[in-house]
């Protein structure tokens, strides 16, 4: 018999540890190669850890809720092989669940709403890690001075400040002036059905993250909206004309989404003031145009995969990127990098029949565009011979933007430019 070490695999360059959330296999259970042995969660990814061998689980080295470092052995599997030495399984990059983007967004949004701390007023030596934790938790200089360090010469270590943070969270009244970011509730009294007939269901983990993130975004950004109606008759006619040939040639369906995404990318290039993010009192001007594309998951939740350098893609490239990310989102096959680095987001609410809506900004971005449903409506058509009434294909664009850094002029001009690009679409465009 041989014993194999199952190690915590790598899940991305910035992921160093994970929490065990559930053991799917128990000691004594038979395991086939590629069977999921346990579930883990990080600040970026929820996923399963598979076995690379067949055998029997003989030892669990960590319990549920334990924190494990990448590369640590988490279980021992006994196999039928004759070799005696312990063979180490190669670290395997696992495919994350769709929670990745939402959890990353919560982390970023919470960091934004935390007050900025200036450490110049303390004589204590503070490592960059300790400073970062203090900044994220909104710990003031006065509080830092009260922490007794256990490091060399009384320095405050990571363990010292984390212990202080844990105690601080248990007593929120100790610092009532600092706002606490929304996070996943760790414990809450279960509501009781008054009439005994209502069903009470706890939110799943992803829905809790979305709930916290949406609330944080509303608390962070001063949301304001601009609406504009767009005539997309030429786009509808053109797509009807070329979609069959496109699918036959490329093996891909041609939807309206890549056309709209291309127009948004062009407008962002024209108005770089929309392609920014906010960090405290600073504005970060983004060099690349990375478009987030809100996609629905089978369970009803949402995720925002990102099309990188969207302004550099032609229509065929955009269509392939949209289809690839959309399909992988539906199957839960997105990788961590697919859901990070967005600079502006587009959400297609029209696919659910909505005419327009008021989307919530995807932090730390400063704008999000909602695409309404395309409808046949009577409209005034201007011609050299005069005006007349005709049937046109129209839709509404809703632009939500952060009024802290984007004024009405910029917000309005940006969405108008998107509309101009769509209405100027050439019906004779080759693809």
């Amino acid at each position: 018999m041989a014993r194999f070490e199952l190690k915590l695999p790598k899940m991305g360059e910035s992921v160093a540890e994970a929490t065990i959330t559930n053991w799917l296999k128990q000691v004594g259970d038979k395991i086939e190669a590629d069977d999921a042995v346990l579930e883990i969660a990080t600040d970026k990814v929820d996923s399963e850890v598979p076995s690379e061998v067949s055998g029997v689980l003989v030892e669990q080295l960590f319990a549920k809720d334990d924190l494990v470092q990448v590369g640590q052995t988490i279980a021992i599997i006994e196999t039928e092989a004759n070799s005696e030495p312990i063979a180490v399984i190669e670290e395997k990059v696992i495919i994350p669940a769709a929670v990745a983007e939402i959890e990353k967004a919560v982390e970023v949004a919470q960091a934004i709403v935390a007050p900025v701390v200036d450490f110049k007023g303390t004589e204590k030596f503070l490592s960059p890690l300790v400073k970062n934790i203090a900044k994220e938790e909104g710990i003031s200089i006065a509080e830092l001075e009260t922490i007794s360090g256990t490091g060399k010469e009384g320095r405050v270590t990571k363990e010292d400040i984390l212990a202080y943070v844990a105690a601080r969270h248990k007593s929120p009244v100790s610092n009532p002036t600092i706002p606490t970011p929304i996070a996943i509730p760790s414990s809450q009294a279960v509501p009781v059905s008054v009439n005994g007939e209502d069903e009470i269901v706890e939110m799943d983990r992803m829905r809790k993250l979305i709930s916290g993130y949406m609330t944080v975004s509303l608390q962070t950004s001063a949301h304001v909206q601009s609406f504009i109606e767009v005539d997309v008759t030429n786009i509808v006619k053109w797509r009807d004309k070329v979609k069959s040939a496109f699918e036959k040639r490329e093996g891909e369906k041609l939807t309206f989404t890549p056309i709209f995404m291309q127009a948004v990318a062009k407008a962002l290039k024209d108005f770089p003031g929309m392609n920014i993010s906010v960090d405290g009192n600073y504005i970060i001007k983004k060099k690349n145009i990375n478009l987030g594309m809100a996609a629905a998951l089978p369970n009803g939740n949402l995720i925002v995969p990102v099309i990188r350098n969207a302004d550099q893609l032609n229509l065929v490239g955009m269509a392939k990127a949209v289809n690839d990310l959309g399909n992988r989102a539906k199957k839960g096959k997105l990788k961590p990098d697919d859901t990070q680095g967005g600079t502006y987001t587009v959400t297609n609410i029209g696919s659910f029949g909505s005419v327009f809506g008021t989307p919530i900004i995807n932090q730390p971005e400063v704008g999000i565009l909602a695409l309404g449903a395309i409808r046949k409506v009577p409209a005034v058509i201007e011609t050299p011979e005069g005006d007349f009434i005709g049937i046109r294909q129209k839709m509404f664009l809703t632009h939500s933007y952060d009024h802290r850094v984007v004024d009405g002029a910029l917000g309005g001009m940006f969405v108008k430019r998107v509309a101009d690009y769509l209405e100027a679409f050439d019906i004779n465009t080759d693809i």
Side-chain angles (χ1 to χ4, degrees):
M1 304 293 284
R3 290 159 62 88
F4 287 81
E5 294 183 358
L6 180 62
K7 295 179 178 293
L8 182 66
K10 291 181 180 179
M11 293 155 286
E13 293 183 2
S14 60
V15 179
E17 58 190 17
T19 300
I20 295 175
T21 56
N22 187 33
W23 280 97
L24 302 175
K25 300 291 185 180
Q26 302 301 321
V27 173
D29 288 352
K30 290 184 178 180
I31 299 172
E32 298 295 330
D34 294 326
D35 278 357
V37 179
L38 68 158
E39 295 175 337
I40 58 173
T42 74
D43 61 344
K44 295 179 175 64
V45 174
D46 275 12
S47 52
E48 298 174 340
V49 177
S51 171
E52 291 191 1
V53 297
S54 297
V56 176
L57 181 64
V58 295
E59 191 173 356
Q60 295 174 347
L61 301 181
F62 293 91
K64 180 181 177 181
D65 296 328
D66 281 352
L67 189 65
V68 186
Q69 301 297 313
V70 167
Q72 276 191 294
T73 302
I74 50 181
I76 302 295
I77 300 172
E78 195 169 74
T79 72
E80 298 284 336
N82 294 324
S83 56
E84 292 297 329
I86 294 179
V88 179
I89 297 177
E90 292 184 1
E91 293 174 343
K92 178 180 179 182
V93 178
I94 56 180
I95 298 175
V99 179
E101 165 62 10
I102 305 301
E103 193 161 5
K104 171 62 178 175
V106 172
E107 175 190 349
V108 173
Q110 289 178 340
I112 291 172
V113 298
V116 178
V117 179
D118 183 1
F119 302 102
K120 295 179 181 179
T122 179
E123 296 181 357
K124 281 191 174 184
F125 172 81
L126 301 173
S127 69
L129 177 59
V130 170
K131 288 181 180 179
N132 187 51
I133 295 173
K135 180 179 179 181
E136 291 182 355
E137 295 293 334
I139 298 175
S140 66
I141 294 175
E143 288 180 276
L144 284 172
E145 296 288 353
T146 65
I147 300 176
S148 298
T150 59
K152 185 178 180 181
E153 298 180 354
R155 292 178 180 177
V156 176
T157 66
K158 173 186 174 182
E159 289 71 24
D160 295 332
I161 194 166
L162 288 178
Y164 178 80
V165 169
R168 190 166 174 260
H169 284 176
K170 291 179 181 179
S171 304
V173 295
S174 63
N175 197 3
T177 61
I178 297 178
T180 302
I182 301 299
I184 303 175
S186 57
S187 62
Q188 182 177 329
V190 179
V192 178
S193 172
V194 177
N195 57 19
E197 298 177 355
D198 299 328
E199 182 182 7
I200 298 171
V201 181
E202 185 178 4
M203 296 181 190
D204 61 29
R205 186 167 181 271
M206 189 173 183
R207 178 49 55 183
K208 291 176 183 177
L209 288 167
I210 295 173
S211 174
Y213 170 52
M214 293 294 100
T215 305
V216 166
S217 183
L218 286 174
Q219 290 177 341
T220 302
S221 296
H223 282 66
V224 66
Q225 285 82 28
S226 292
F227 304 85
I228 193 167
E229 191 174 26
V230 190
D231 189 328
V232 292
T233 305
N234 284 348
I235 292 176
V236 174
K237 289 181 178 179
W238 176 82
R239 176 179 171 272
D240 288 342
K241 181 177 67 174
V242 305
K243 64 181 181 180
S244 296
F246 180 86
E247 185 172 2
K248 184 177 180 180
R249 188 187 77 192
E250 302 291 340
E252 305 260 0
K253 289 190 176 182
L254 179 62
T255 65
F256 291 111
T257 302
I259 303 172
F260 299 145
M261 298 294 271
Q262 192 174 53
V264 172
K266 289 180 180 179
L268 285 171
K269 205 165 186 177
D270 296 339
F271 295 98
M274 287 305 312
N275 200 52
I276 66 173
S277 64
V278 180
D279 187 354
N281 292 325
Y282 295 91
I283 295 172
I284 302 172
K285 298 180 178 180
K286 301 294 185 176
K287 179 180 179 181
N288 299 324
I289 294 175
N290 300 332
L291 286 184
M293 180 186 74
L297 298 172
N299 61 3
N301 291 324
L302 291 174
I303 193 169
V304 185
V306 176
I307 300 173
R308 300 184 182 281
N309 299 310
D311 57 314
Q312 299 177 21
L313 297 177
N314 61 19
L315 201 48
V316 175
M318 186 70 79
K320 288 181 177 293
V322 167
N323 290 342
D324 172 57
L325 291 174
N327 291 335
R328 286 196 286 125
K330 291 176 183 177
K331 297 175 183 177
K333 301 294 184 181
L334 290 173
K335 300 176 182 178
D337 287 346
D338 293 327
T339 56
Q340 298 179 31
T343 60
Y344 187 89
T345 297
V346 179
T347 177
N348 187 1
I349 60 174
S351 59
F352 307 107
S354 296
V355 178
F356 53 79
T358 54
I360 297 174
I361 295 168
N362 187 19
Q363 297 295 329
E365 299 164 13
V366 298
I368 180 171
L369 187 72
L371 309 172
I374 298 175
R375 304 165 301 133
K376 289 183 179 180
V377 297
V380 175
I381 302 173
E382 298 179 355
T383 70
E385 291 76 27
D387 299 342
F388 66 93
I389 302 294
I391 302 299
R392 305 295 289 178
Q393 300 271 9
K394 290 196 172 189
M395 65 182 294
F396 282 98
L397 304 179
T398 305
H399 185 207
S400 289
Y401 47 95
D402 189 343
H403 214 339
R404 294 178 303 165
V405 290
V406 180
D407 292 327
L410 175 57
M413 286 190 295
F414 170 79
V415 71
K416 178 63 166 58
R417 184 62 55 87
V418 175
D420 290 343
Y421 279 129
L422 294 177
E423 291 188 341
F425 187 88
D426 185 357
I427 198 169
N428 298 313
T429 297
D430 291 326
I431 192 169

